[in-house]
Amino acid sequence: MARLGEGDKRWIVEDRPDGTNVHNWHWAETDCLEWSRSFLTNLLANKIVIDGEGNIKIRTKKLEKLEGEAYVNIRKGKIIPGYELNLVLSWEGEVKGDEDAGTSVMKVEGNVEFPYIADENADEDPEVKVTVKDEGPIGKRLKDAFVAKGKPFVLEQVKSYVNAMAKGGPAKEEGEVKKVVKKPSGTGNVAVAAPVTTAVVDEKAKVVEKKEKKKEGFKTITMTEKFSCRAKDLFEILMDENRWKGFTQSNARISKEVGGVFTIFDGSVTGTNVELQEGKLIVQKWRFGSWPDGLQSTVRIVFEEPQSGVTVVKLTHTDVPEEDRYGNATVVENTERGWRDLIFHRIRAVFGFGI
C-alpha cells in the first residue's frame, strides 16, 4: 500500500487547469482519511444498540480515535482502495432496576476497538475488542449485552465503509460531479460538458511525454528507513539466508556473490545479484512469480551511516509492473507494503534495531 504522496510522480496526476484526468488514464490518488472519519462517524456515533430490553439501554457515543491511512487510486477506470486503520468507538450503557423497589439507575462506559481495518482483509470481519471501565457485575452484564447486540451492529457498519471504499469513496463522488457550463442563449437551460481544449506544449514537454510513454505500466518505489545498528550488520542480515529465514519465517536461498542467484519468501521472489559492496550497496534483479513472463525489476539499496550505530537505508525499486499476470492492479501497493512490513519492520522487531 503506497503512502499518499510517495508515489512515482510520473503516475500521480497533477491538477490540470480544467480539472480533467482524461479517461482516468494516469494515477489519480485521493486522500480519504478525513472522509473516512466523517463517514464512520455518521455510521457509528450516537446510535441506539439496545433500548429497554431486559431493563438495559446501550448506545454508542462518539468516534474517539481513527488513526492510520486511507486513500483511493484510480487508473484507467480501475478503483484501488488502500487503508490501514485503528478505530476506537466509545459506548455507554445503563441498567434500570425495578422502579417499584426503588433501585437506582446504574451506568457504565466502555470502548469498542478495531485494531486493524485494512484493505488486505476486506473479505474478512476485522478483530473487535469490547471493553468496559467498570468490571463489576453490572459492567460485565452490559459488556456481554454489547457483545451480543452491539458487536454485530458495528461490524455491519464497518462493512458498509469497506464497500464504500471499494466503490471509490470520495473519489467516486468527485468523479460523478462533472464540470458543466450553460450553453449560450438560444439553447435553453440544458447543461453540457465543458469542452476540453488542446494545450500548446513546448518541445521539452513533448520529450518528457515520450519518455513517460516508454515506462507506461511500471512504477518506482522509493523508501528511506532508519535503523539503530551498524551498516555492515544490516547488509549482512539482508544477504544471509539463515537470518533472512529467521526474520521472515520463510525459506530462502541467497548467494553472496555478484552474478549469484537468490530465492526468498518460499520461492515467491527470485533474482540475481548485480552489484554488492559490503555495508554500502546492494543492487539486485527481482522477479515475483505472479508477474507476467519476462518482467524483471531492479532493487537498489544504499546504506549510509551518518553516525556510529545509526544506519539510514535508501531503497529504490524500479520497473515494478502495475498489474500481475492475472490482471490484479495491486502489485505496487503490495510490493511497497512487503518492503515496509515484511522486511524493514520485522528486522527492527527481531534484531532490536528500532529507533
Side-chain angles (χ1 to χ4, degrees), residues 1-9 11-12 27-32 68-73 80-84 119 219-223 317 320 322 329-341:
M1 191 165 41
R3 293 182 181 275
L4 181 68
E6 292 183 358
D8 187 337
K9 291 184 179 296
W11 304 111
I12 302 299
W27 282 106
E29 187 170 88
T30 301
D31 185 358
C32 302
E69 61 178 355
Y71 62 86
V72 168
N73 279 324
I80 308 169
Y83 48 91
E84 292 180 354
D119 58 284
K219 196 172 181 183
T220 296
I221 295 170
T222 59
M223 299 177 69
H317 194 164
V320 179
E322 293 176 355
T330 57
V331 174
V332 176
E333 289 76 15
N334 291 340
T335 303
E336 183 164 5
R337 184 186 296 116
W339 276 109
R340 184 180 65 246
D341 297 342

mmCIF file of all heavy atoms in Angstrom, residues 1-9 11-12 27-32 68-73 80-84 119 219-223 317 320 322 329-341:
data_model
loop_
_atom_site.group_PDB
_atom_site.id
_atom_site.type_symbol
_atom_site.label_atom_id
_atom_site.label_comp_id
_atom_site.label_asym_id
_atom_site.label_seq_id
_atom_site.Cartn_x
_atom_site.Cartn_y
_atom_site.Cartn_z
ATOM 1 N N MET A 1 0.829 -1.164 0.000
ATOM 2 C CA MET A 1 0.000 0.000 0.000
ATOM 3 C C MET A 1 0.878 1.233 0.000
ATOM 4 O O MET A 1 1.464 1.560 0.986
ATOM 5 C CB MET A 1 -0.829 -0.077 1.260
ATOM 6 C CG MET A 1 -1.924 0.844 1.381
ATOM 7 S SD MET A 1 -3.067 0.423 2.640
ATOM 8 C CE MET A 1 -2.180 -0.092 3.901
ATOM 9 N N ALA A 2 1.026 1.982 -1.220
ATOM 10 C CA ALA A 2 1.868 3.157 -1.301
ATOM 11 C C ALA A 2 1.263 4.284 -0.511
ATOM 12 O O ALA A 2 0.081 4.537 -0.580
ATOM 13 C CB ALA A 2 2.058 3.601 -2.754
ATOM 14 N N ARG A 3 2.039 4.980 0.285
ATOM 15 C CA ARG A 3 1.517 6.069 1.078
ATOM 16 C C ARG A 3 1.176 7.270 0.199
ATOM 17 O O ARG A 3 1.821 7.518 -0.811
ATOM 18 C CB ARG A 3 2.520 6.496 2.153
ATOM 19 C CG ARG A 3 2.735 5.412 3.208
ATOM 20 C CD ARG A 3 3.704 5.902 4.264
ATOM 21 N NE ARG A 3 3.928 4.879 5.249
ATOM 22 C CZ ARG A 3 3.152 4.661 6.299
ATOM 23 N NH1 ARG A 3 2.076 5.392 6.477
ATOM 24 N NH2 ARG A 3 3.435 3.708 7.163
ATOM 25 N N LEU A 4 0.208 8.021 0.659
ATOM 26 C CA LEU A 4 -0.228 9.178 -0.098
ATOM 27 C C LEU A 4 0.939 10.129 -0.326
ATOM 28 O O LEU A 4 1.638 10.500 0.605
ATOM 29 C CB LEU A 4 -1.344 9.901 0.668
ATOM 30 C CG LEU A 4 -1.912 11.132 -0.019
ATOM 31 C CD1 LEU A 4 -2.682 10.721 -1.264
ATOM 32 C CD2 LEU A 4 -2.818 11.890 0.926
ATOM 33 N N GLY A 5 1.155 10.514 -1.572
ATOM 34 C CA GLY A 5 2.171 11.488 -1.897
ATOM 35 C C GLY A 5 3.546 10.912 -2.152
ATOM 36 O O GLY A 5 4.457 11.616 -2.544
ATOM 37 N N GLU A 6 3.734 9.591 -1.903
ATOM 38 C CA GLU A 6 5.049 9.000 -2.076
ATOM 39 C C GLU A 6 5.183 8.242 -3.383
ATOM 40 O O GLU A 6 6.171 7.602 -3.634
ATOM 41 C CB GLU A 6 5.368 8.059 -0.906
ATOM 42 C CG GLU A 6 5.555 8.799 0.413
ATOM 43 C CD GLU A 6 5.940 7.859 1.532
ATOM 44 O OE1 GLU A 6 6.014 6.642 1.271
ATOM 45 O OE2 GLU A 6 6.145 8.322 2.657
ATOM 46 N N GLY A 7 4.140 8.241 -4.218
ATOM 47 C CA GLY A 7 4.201 7.505 -5.459
ATOM 48 C C GLY A 7 5.119 8.167 -6.475
ATOM 49 O O GLY A 7 5.528 9.315 -6.332
ATOM 50 N N ASP A 8 5.481 7.431 -7.483
ATOM 51 C CA ASP A 8 6.288 7.951 -8.571
ATOM 52 C C ASP A 8 5.536 9.090 -9.235
ATOM 53 O O ASP A 8 4.407 8.930 -9.672
ATOM 54 C CB ASP A 8 6.529 6.823 -9.577
ATOM 55 C CG ASP A 8 7.499 7.215 -10.670
ATOM 56 O OD1 ASP A 8 7.645 8.427 -10.912
ATOM 57 O OD2 ASP A 8 8.092 6.314 -11.273
ATOM 58 N N LYS A 9 6.150 10.260 -9.307
ATOM 59 C CA LYS A 9 5.453 11.434 -9.830
ATOM 60 C C LYS A 9 5.018 11.262 -11.280
ATOM 61 O O LYS A 9 4.161 11.987 -11.768
ATOM 62 C CB LYS A 9 6.332 12.681 -9.700
ATOM 63 C CG LYS A 9 6.539 13.110 -8.250
ATOM 64 C CD LYS A 9 7.320 14.403 -8.185
ATOM 65 C CE LYS A 9 7.513 14.833 -6.739
ATOM 66 N NZ LYS A 9 6.228 15.142 -6.101
ATOM 67 N N TRP A 11 3.260 8.955 -12.263
ATOM 68 C CA TRP A 11 1.951 8.311 -12.248
ATOM 69 C C TRP A 11 0.962 9.018 -11.345
ATOM 70 O O TRP A 11 -0.193 8.652 -11.316
ATOM 71 C CB TRP A 11 2.101 6.856 -11.816
ATOM 72 C CG TRP A 11 3.061 6.152 -12.716
ATOM 73 C CD1 TRP A 11 4.290 5.701 -12.402
ATOM 74 C CD2 TRP A 11 2.871 5.853 -14.100
ATOM 75 N NE1 TRP A 11 4.880 5.131 -13.489
ATOM 76 C CE2 TRP A 11 4.032 5.212 -14.550
ATOM 77 C CE3 TRP A 11 1.826 6.076 -15.000
ATOM 78 C CZ2 TRP A 11 4.182 4.772 -15.851
ATOM 79 C CZ3 TRP A 11 1.983 5.641 -16.304
ATOM 80 C CH2 TRP A 11 3.150 5.003 -16.707
ATOM 81 N N ILE A 12 1.416 9.989 -10.560
ATOM 82 C CA ILE A 12 0.487 10.782 -9.768
ATOM 83 C C ILE A 12 0.151 12.026 -10.578
ATOM 84 O O ILE A 12 0.996 12.833 -10.894
ATOM 85 C CB ILE A 12 1.097 11.195 -8.422
ATOM 86 C CG1 ILE A 12 1.506 9.944 -7.660
ATOM 87 C CG2 ILE A 12 0.116 12.027 -7.625
ATOM 88 C CD1 ILE A 12 0.353 9.001 -7.341
ATOM 89 N N TRP A 27 -2.501 7.696 -12.780
ATOM 90 C CA TRP A 27 -2.879 7.506 -11.385
ATOM 91 C C TRP A 27 -3.512 8.782 -10.848
ATOM 92 O O TRP A 27 -2.934 9.855 -10.934
ATOM 93 C CB TRP A 27 -1.646 7.185 -10.530
ATOM 94 C CG TRP A 27 -1.169 5.791 -10.652
ATOM 95 C CD1 TRP A 27 -0.053 5.368 -11.323
ATOM 96 C CD2 TRP A 27 -1.765 4.621 -10.104
ATOM 97 N NE1 TRP A 27 0.070 4.017 -11.234
ATOM 98 C CE2 TRP A 27 -0.957 3.522 -10.488
ATOM 99 C CE3 TRP A 27 -2.900 4.388 -9.331
ATOM 100 C CZ2 TRP A 27 -1.255 2.231 -10.119
ATOM 101 C CZ3 TRP A 27 -3.198 3.092 -8.965
ATOM 102 C CH2 TRP A 27 -2.378 2.035 -9.356
ATOM 103 N N ALA A 28 -4.711 8.672 -10.295
ATOM 104 C CA ALA A 28 -5.347 9.775 -9.592
ATOM 105 C C ALA A 28 -5.518 9.308 -8.148
ATOM 106 O O ALA A 28 -6.274 8.384 -7.881
ATOM 107 C CB ALA A 28 -6.698 10.110 -10.219
ATOM 108 N N GLU A 29 -4.789 9.931 -7.231
ATOM 109 C CA GLU A 29 -4.766 9.471 -5.846
ATOM 110 C C GLU A 29 -5.516 10.458 -4.967
ATOM 111 O O GLU A 29 -5.263 11.657 -4.996
ATOM 112 C CB GLU A 29 -3.325 9.330 -5.370
ATOM 113 C CG GLU A 29 -3.191 8.695 -3.995
ATOM 114 C CD GLU A 29 -1.746 8.345 -3.671
ATOM 115 O OE1 GLU A 29 -1.046 9.212 -3.132
ATOM 116 O OE2 GLU A 29 -1.330 7.224 -3.988
ATOM 117 N N THR A 30 -6.445 9.951 -4.164
ATOM 118 C CA THR A 30 -7.258 10.779 -3.291
ATOM 119 C C THR A 30 -7.050 10.359 -1.845
ATOM 120 O O THR A 30 -7.199 9.188 -1.506
ATOM 121 C CB THR A 30 -8.762 10.637 -3.639
ATOM 122 O OG1 THR A 30 -8.964 11.015 -5.007
ATOM 123 C CG2 THR A 30 -9.606 11.522 -2.742
ATOM 124 N N ASP A 31 -6.686 11.325 -1.006
ATOM 125 C CA ASP A 31 -6.552 11.065 0.426
ATOM 126 C C ASP A 31 -7.949 10.934 1.026
ATOM 127 O O ASP A 31 -8.781 11.833 0.901
ATOM 128 C CB ASP A 31 -5.790 12.223 1.087
ATOM 129 C CG ASP A 31 -5.509 11.968 2.553
ATOM 130 O OD1 ASP A 31 -5.925 10.916 3.073
ATOM 131 O OD2 ASP A 31 -4.867 12.831 3.185
ATOM 132 N N CYS A 32 -8.213 9.813 1.692
ATOM 133 C CA CYS A 32 -9.562 9.528 2.195
ATOM 134 C C CYS A 32 -9.651 9.495 3.713
ATOM 135 O O CYS A 32 -10.684 9.077 4.249
ATOM 136 C CB CYS A 32 -10.043 8.176 1.652
ATOM 137 S SG CYS A 32 -10.079 8.055 -0.136
ATOM 138 N N GLY A 68 -4.196 6.092 11.199
ATOM 139 C CA GLY A 68 -3.696 5.262 10.103
ATOM 140 C C GLY A 68 -3.714 6.019 8.802
ATOM 141 O O GLY A 68 -3.486 7.239 8.770
ATOM 142 N N GLU A 69 -4.013 5.323 7.721
ATOM 143 C CA GLU A 69 -4.054 5.947 6.406
ATOM 144 C C GLU A 69 -5.183 5.343 5.595
ATOM 145 O O GLU A 69 -5.575 4.195 5.794
ATOM 146 C CB GLU A 69 -2.720 5.771 5.679
ATOM 147 C CG GLU A 69 -2.340 4.311 5.431
ATOM 148 C CD GLU A 69 -1.034 4.174 4.672
ATOM 149 O OE1 GLU A 69 -0.475 5.211 4.268
ATOM 150 O OE2 GLU A 69 -0.595 3.041 4.459
ATOM 151 N N ALA A 70 -5.695 6.152 4.693
ATOM 152 C CA ALA A 70 -6.757 5.693 3.789
ATOM 153 C C ALA A 70 -6.667 6.523 2.518
ATOM 154 O O ALA A 70 -6.573 7.749 2.574
ATOM 155 C CB ALA A 70 -8.135 5.855 4.437
ATOM 156 N N TYR A 71 -6.687 5.857 1.383
ATOM 157 C CA TYR A 71 -6.639 6.563 0.105
ATOM 158 C C TYR A 71 -7.257 5.689 -0.971
ATOM 159 O O TYR A 71 -7.472 4.487 -0.786
ATOM 160 C CB TYR A 71 -5.194 6.936 -0.276
ATOM 161 C CG TYR A 71 -4.286 5.752 -0.461
ATOM 162 C CD1 TYR A 71 -4.206 5.081 -1.691
ATOM 163 C CD2 TYR A 71 -3.500 5.289 0.581
ATOM 164 C CE1 TYR A 71 -3.381 3.992 -1.858
ATOM 165 C CE2 TYR A 71 -2.673 4.192 0.424
ATOM 166 C CZ TYR A 71 -2.617 3.541 -0.801
ATOM 167 O OH TYR A 71 -1.806 2.455 -0.962
ATOM 168 N N VAL A 72 -7.533 6.290 -2.105
ATOM 169 C CA VAL A 72 -8.047 5.560 -3.264
ATOM 170 C C VAL A 72 -7.242 5.975 -4.484
ATOM 171 O O VAL A 72 -7.042 7.167 -4.727
ATOM 172 C CB VAL A 72 -9.549 5.853 -3.497
ATOM 173 C CG1 VAL A 72 -9.986 5.316 -4.857
ATOM 174 C CG2 VAL A 72 -10.394 5.210 -2.406
ATOM 175 N N ASN A 73 -6.756 4.994 -5.220
ATOM 176 C CA ASN A 73 -6.114 5.230 -6.511
ATOM 177 C C ASN A 73 -7.083 4.822 -7.616
ATOM 178 O O ASN A 73 -7.727 3.780 -7.524
ATOM 179 C CB ASN A 73 -4.830 4.400 -6.659
ATOM 180 C CG ASN A 73 -3.652 5.053 -5.966
ATOM 181 O OD1 ASN A 73 -3.537 6.275 -5.962
ATOM 182 N ND2 ASN A 73 -2.799 4.259 -5.350
ATOM 183 N N ILE A 80 -8.670 1.326 -6.862
ATOM 184 C CA ILE A 80 -7.779 0.565 -5.996
ATOM 185 C C ILE A 80 -7.743 1.244 -4.630
ATOM 186 O O ILE A 80 -7.010 2.205 -4.423
ATOM 187 C CB ILE A 80 -6.358 0.493 -6.586
ATOM 188 C CG1 ILE A 80 -6.406 -0.009 -8.033
ATOM 189 C CG2 ILE A 80 -5.467 -0.413 -5.734
ATOM 190 C CD1 ILE A 80 -5.113 0.138 -8.773
ATOM 191 N N PRO A 81 -8.565 0.759 -3.693
ATOM 192 C CA PRO A 81 -8.559 1.370 -2.360
ATOM 193 C C PRO A 81 -7.402 0.866 -1.519
ATOM 194 O O PRO A 81 -6.929 -0.261 -1.694
ATOM 195 C CB PRO A 81 -9.898 0.913 -1.776
ATOM 196 C CG PRO A 81 -10.150 -0.416 -2.427
ATOM 197 C CD PRO A 81 -9.555 -0.327 -3.814
ATOM 198 N N GLY A 82 -6.933 1.692 -0.624
ATOM 199 C CA GLY A 82 -5.900 1.297 0.319
ATOM 200 C C GLY A 82 -6.167 1.927 1.673
ATOM 201 O O GLY A 82 -6.389 3.134 1.757
ATOM 202 N N TYR A 83 -6.180 1.130 2.719
ATOM 203 C CA TYR A 83 -6.409 1.685 4.054
ATOM 204 C C TYR A 83 -5.897 0.724 5.113
ATOM 205 O O TYR A 83 -5.944 -0.488 4.965
ATOM 206 C CB TYR A 83 -7.899 1.985 4.293
ATOM 207 C CG TYR A 83 -8.836 0.860 3.919
ATOM 208 C CD1 TYR A 83 -9.216 -0.103 4.853
ATOM 209 C CD2 TYR A 83 -9.335 0.744 2.626
ATOM 210 C CE1 TYR A 83 -10.070 -1.143 4.506
ATOM 211 C CE2 TYR A 83 -10.184 -0.291 2.266
ATOM 212 C CZ TYR A 83 -10.547 -1.226 3.211
ATOM 213 O OH TYR A 83 -11.385 -2.263 2.858
ATOM 214 N N GLU A 84 -5.360 1.287 6.159
ATOM 215 C CA GLU A 84 -4.947 0.574 7.363
ATOM 216 C C GLU A 84 -5.327 1.472 8.527
ATOM 217 O O GLU A 84 -4.682 2.499 8.763
ATOM 218 C CB GLU A 84 -3.446 0.286 7.356
ATOM 219 C CG GLU A 84 -3.008 -0.710 6.298
ATOM 220 C CD GLU A 84 -1.511 -0.978 6.323
ATOM 221 O OE1 GLU A 84 -0.815 -0.284 7.109
ATOM 222 O OE2 GLU A 84 -1.030 -1.844 5.584
ATOM 223 N N ASP A 119 -7.422 -2.970 3.844
ATOM 224 C CA ASP A 119 -7.900 -3.419 2.537
ATOM 225 C C ASP A 119 -7.503 -4.859 2.257
ATOM 226 O O ASP A 119 -8.218 -5.588 1.569
ATOM 227 C CB ASP A 119 -7.357 -2.510 1.425
ATOM 228 C CG ASP A 119 -5.836 -2.457 1.415
ATOM 229 O OD1 ASP A 119 -5.262 -1.782 2.284
ATOM 230 O OD2 ASP A 119 -5.230 -3.087 0.551
ATOM 231 N N LYS A 219 6.141 1.276 -12.318
ATOM 232 C CA LYS A 219 6.269 2.299 -11.292
ATOM 233 C C LYS A 219 7.535 2.092 -10.483
ATOM 234 O O LYS A 219 8.089 0.988 -10.439
ATOM 235 C CB LYS A 219 5.045 2.269 -10.368
ATOM 236 C CG LYS A 219 4.890 3.512 -9.512
ATOM 237 C CD LYS A 219 3.563 3.491 -8.768
ATOM 238 C CE LYS A 219 3.403 4.742 -7.922
ATOM 239 N NZ LYS A 219 2.152 4.721 -7.132
ATOM 240 N N THR A 220 8.005 3.161 -9.844
ATOM 241 C CA THR A 220 9.183 3.104 -8.985
ATOM 242 C C THR A 220 8.772 3.316 -7.536
ATOM 243 O O THR A 220 8.004 4.217 -7.232
ATOM 244 C CB THR A 220 10.206 4.181 -9.392
ATOM 245 O OG1 THR A 220 10.678 3.894 -10.711
ATOM 246 C CG2 THR A 220 11.371 4.217 -8.424
ATOM 247 N N ILE A 221 9.291 2.479 -6.660
ATOM 248 C CA ILE A 221 9.050 2.606 -5.232
ATOM 249 C C ILE A 221 10.319 3.154 -4.585
ATOM 250 O O ILE A 221 11.415 2.658 -4.834
ATOM 251 C CB ILE A 221 8.703 1.241 -4.607
ATOM 252 C CG1 ILE A 221 7.378 0.718 -5.169
ATOM 253 C CG2 ILE A 221 8.647 1.329 -3.082
ATOM 254 C CD1 ILE A 221 7.089 -0.726 -4.781
ATOM 255 N N THR A 222 10.196 4.174 -3.762
ATOM 256 C CA THR A 222 11.332 4.706 -3.013
ATOM 257 C C THR A 222 10.962 4.757 -1.536
ATOM 258 O O THR A 222 9.856 5.137 -1.181
ATOM 259 C CB THR A 222 11.727 6.114 -3.501
ATOM 260 O OG1 THR A 222 10.607 6.994 -3.361
ATOM 261 C CG2 THR A 222 12.165 6.086 -4.957
ATOM 262 N N MET A 223 11.901 4.359 -0.699
ATOM 263 C CA MET A 223 11.688 4.385 0.751
ATOM 264 C C MET A 223 12.994 4.734 1.431
ATOM 265 O O MET A 223 14.075 4.383 0.948
ATOM 266 C CB MET A 223 11.193 3.026 1.269
ATOM 267 C CG MET A 223 9.867 2.568 0.692
ATOM 268 S SD MET A 223 9.381 0.915 1.272
ATOM 269 C CE MET A 223 9.026 1.283 2.985
ATOM 270 N N HIS A 317 13.231 0.849 -5.879
ATOM 271 C CA HIS A 317 12.793 -0.376 -6.561
ATOM 272 C C HIS A 317 12.101 0.046 -7.851
ATOM 273 O O HIS A 317 10.970 0.544 -7.831
ATOM 274 C CB HIS A 317 11.836 -1.158 -5.653
ATOM 275 C CG HIS A 317 11.596 -2.557 -6.108
ATOM 276 N ND1 HIS A 317 11.043 -3.537 -5.299
ATOM 277 C CD2 HIS A 317 11.831 -3.174 -7.313
ATOM 278 C CE1 HIS A 317 10.948 -4.662 -5.973
ATOM 279 N NE2 HIS A 317 11.410 -4.466 -7.194
ATOM 280 N N VAL A 320 8.597 -1.768 -11.411
ATOM 281 C CA VAL A 320 7.600 -2.638 -10.785
ATOM 282 C C VAL A 320 6.319 -2.551 -11.620
ATOM 283 O O VAL A 320 5.761 -1.466 -11.790
ATOM 284 C CB VAL A 320 7.297 -2.200 -9.338
ATOM 285 C CG1 VAL A 320 6.237 -3.105 -8.709
ATOM 286 C CG2 VAL A 320 8.574 -2.203 -8.503
ATOM 287 N N GLU A 322 2.477 -2.531 -12.814
ATOM 288 C CA GLU A 322 1.254 -2.137 -12.113
ATOM 289 C C GLU A 322 0.267 -3.291 -11.987
ATOM 290 O O GLU A 322 -0.574 -3.283 -11.088
ATOM 291 C CB GLU A 322 0.596 -0.967 -12.839
ATOM 292 C CG GLU A 322 1.438 0.305 -12.768
ATOM 293 C CD GLU A 322 0.831 1.434 -13.572
ATOM 294 O OE1 GLU A 322 -0.183 1.185 -14.256
ATOM 295 O OE2 GLU A 322 1.365 2.551 -13.514
ATOM 296 N N ALA A 329 -4.440 -5.186 -10.070
ATOM 297 C CA ALA A 329 -3.722 -3.908 -10.136
ATOM 298 C C ALA A 329 -3.235 -3.450 -8.770
ATOM 299 O O ALA A 329 -3.238 -2.260 -8.475
ATOM 300 C CB ALA A 329 -4.623 -2.849 -10.768
ATOM 301 N N THR A 330 -2.817 -4.387 -7.918
ATOM 302 C CA THR A 330 -2.342 -4.032 -6.578
ATOM 303 C C THR A 330 -0.876 -4.404 -6.380
ATOM 304 O O THR A 330 -0.396 -4.470 -5.252
ATOM 305 C CB THR A 330 -3.194 -4.748 -5.509
ATOM 306 O OG1 THR A 330 -3.144 -6.165 -5.740
ATOM 307 C CG2 THR A 330 -4.634 -4.278 -5.562
ATOM 308 N N VAL A 331 -0.156 -4.637 -7.465
ATOM 309 C CA VAL A 331 1.233 -5.095 -7.365
ATOM 310 C C VAL A 331 2.104 -4.069 -6.643
ATOM 311 O O VAL A 331 2.870 -4.407 -5.731
ATOM 312 C CB VAL A 331 1.811 -5.389 -8.764
ATOM 313 C CG1 VAL A 331 3.303 -5.716 -8.668
ATOM 314 C CG2 VAL A 331 1.066 -6.537 -9.419
ATOM 315 N N VAL A 332 2.002 -2.793 -7.032
ATOM 316 C CA VAL A 332 2.852 -1.759 -6.443
ATOM 317 C C VAL A 332 2.553 -1.607 -4.953
ATOM 318 O O VAL A 332 3.472 -1.565 -4.121
ATOM 319 C CB VAL A 332 2.659 -0.421 -7.178
ATOM 320 C CG1 VAL A 332 3.479 0.676 -6.508
ATOM 321 C CG2 VAL A 332 3.063 -0.556 -8.647
ATOM 322 N N GLU A 333 1.266 -1.541 -4.617
ATOM 323 C CA GLU A 333 0.886 -1.390 -3.217
ATOM 324 C C GLU A 333 1.375 -2.567 -2.381
ATOM 325 O O GLU A 333 1.923 -2.389 -1.288
ATOM 326 C CB GLU A 333 -0.634 -1.258 -3.082
ATOM 327 C CG GLU A 333 -1.188 0.066 -3.575
ATOM 328 C CD GLU A 333 -1.243 0.157 -5.095
ATOM 329 O OE1 GLU A 333 -1.119 -0.885 -5.786
ATOM 330 O OE2 GLU A 333 -1.410 1.259 -5.619
ATOM 331 N N ASN A 334 1.188 -3.774 -2.893
ATOM 332 C CA ASN A 334 1.610 -4.963 -2.153
ATOM 333 C C ASN A 334 3.125 -5.043 -2.014
ATOM 334 O O ASN A 334 3.640 -5.473 -0.979
ATOM 335 C CB ASN A 334 1.091 -6.221 -2.844
ATOM 336 C CG ASN A 334 -0.418 -6.354 -2.742
ATOM 337 O OD1 ASN A 334 -1.045 -5.744 -1.886
ATOM 338 N ND2 ASN A 334 -1.009 -7.138 -3.623
ATOM 339 N N THR A 335 3.837 -4.630 -3.069
ATOM 340 C CA THR A 335 5.297 -4.660 -3.013
ATOM 341 C C THR A 335 5.821 -3.667 -1.986
ATOM 342 O O THR A 335 6.710 -3.985 -1.186
ATOM 343 C CB THR A 335 5.897 -4.359 -4.395
ATOM 344 O OG1 THR A 335 5.388 -5.297 -5.356
ATOM 345 C CG2 THR A 335 7.414 -4.447 -4.367
ATOM 346 N N GLU A 336 5.255 -2.467 -1.984
ATOM 347 C CA GLU A 336 5.707 -1.474 -1.002
ATOM 348 C C GLU A 336 5.366 -1.915 0.417
ATOM 349 O O GLU A 336 6.166 -1.764 1.336
ATOM 350 C CB GLU A 336 5.075 -0.118 -1.298
ATOM 351 C CG GLU A 336 5.568 0.973 -0.366
ATOM 352 C CD GLU A 336 5.276 2.355 -0.872
ATOM 353 O OE1 GLU A 336 4.600 2.492 -1.907
ATOM 354 O OE2 GLU A 336 5.733 3.315 -0.216
ATOM 355 N N ARG A 337 4.185 -2.475 0.590
ATOM 356 C CA ARG A 337 3.808 -2.966 1.917
ATOM 357 C C ARG A 337 4.741 -4.099 2.354
ATOM 358 O O ARG A 337 5.102 -4.214 3.527
ATOM 359 C CB ARG A 337 2.367 -3.467 1.910
ATOM 360 C CG ARG A 337 1.878 -3.894 3.294
ATOM 361 C CD ARG A 337 0.499 -4.527 3.253
ATOM 362 N NE ARG A 337 -0.501 -3.592 2.808
ATOM 363 C CZ ARG A 337 -1.216 -3.726 1.680
ATOM 364 N NH1 ARG A 337 -1.028 -4.793 0.911
ATOM 365 N NH2 ARG A 337 -2.111 -2.850 1.352
ATOM 366 N N GLY A 338 5.136 -4.943 1.400
ATOM 367 C CA GLY A 338 6.051 -6.025 1.725
ATOM 368 C C GLY A 338 7.398 -5.518 2.223
ATOM 369 O O GLY A 338 7.937 -6.022 3.212
ATOM 370 N N TRP A 339 7.941 -4.533 1.527
ATOM 371 C CA TRP A 339 9.216 -3.945 1.970
ATOM 372 C C TRP A 339 9.075 -3.373 3.375
ATOM 373 O O TRP A 339 9.934 -3.588 4.234
ATOM 374 C CB TRP A 339 9.662 -2.835 1.014
ATOM 375 C CG TRP A 339 10.407 -3.315 -0.190
ATOM 376 C CD1 TRP A 339 9.976 -3.330 -1.486
ATOM 377 C CD2 TRP A 339 11.733 -3.844 -0.218
ATOM 378 N NE1 TRP A 339 10.931 -3.839 -2.312
ATOM 379 C CE2 TRP A 339 12.038 -4.159 -1.569
ATOM 380 C CE3 TRP A 339 12.694 -4.089 0.759
ATOM 381 C CZ2 TRP A 339 13.258 -4.701 -1.946
ATOM 382 C CZ3 TRP A 339 13.914 -4.636 0.379
ATOM 383 C CH2 TRP A 339 14.181 -4.935 -0.955
ATOM 384 N N ARG A 340 8.003 -2.630 3.597
ATOM 385 C CA ARG A 340 7.843 -1.945 4.874
ATOM 386 C C ARG A 340 7.548 -2.914 6.025
ATOM 387 O O ARG A 340 8.211 -2.899 7.066
ATOM 388 C CB ARG A 340 6.709 -0.913 4.764
ATOM 389 C CG ARG A 340 6.522 -0.059 6.019
ATOM 390 C CD ARG A 340 5.391 0.944 5.849
ATOM 391 N NE ARG A 340 4.108 0.286 5.701
ATOM 392 C CZ ARG A 340 3.383 0.320 4.604
ATOM 393 N NH1 ARG A 340 3.828 0.965 3.535
ATOM 394 N NH2 ARG A 340 2.210 -0.283 4.541
ATOM 395 N N ASP A 341 6.524 -3.773 5.818
ATOM 396 C CA ASP A 341 6.032 -4.605 6.919
ATOM 397 C C ASP A 341 6.758 -5.941 7.057
ATOM 398 O O ASP A 341 7.000 -6.404 8.179
ATOM 399 C CB ASP A 341 4.527 -4.868 6.745
ATOM 400 C CG ASP A 341 3.707 -3.593 6.805
ATOM 401 O OD1 ASP A 341 4.246 -2.583 7.305
ATOM 402 O OD2 ASP A 341 2.554 -3.593 6.353
#
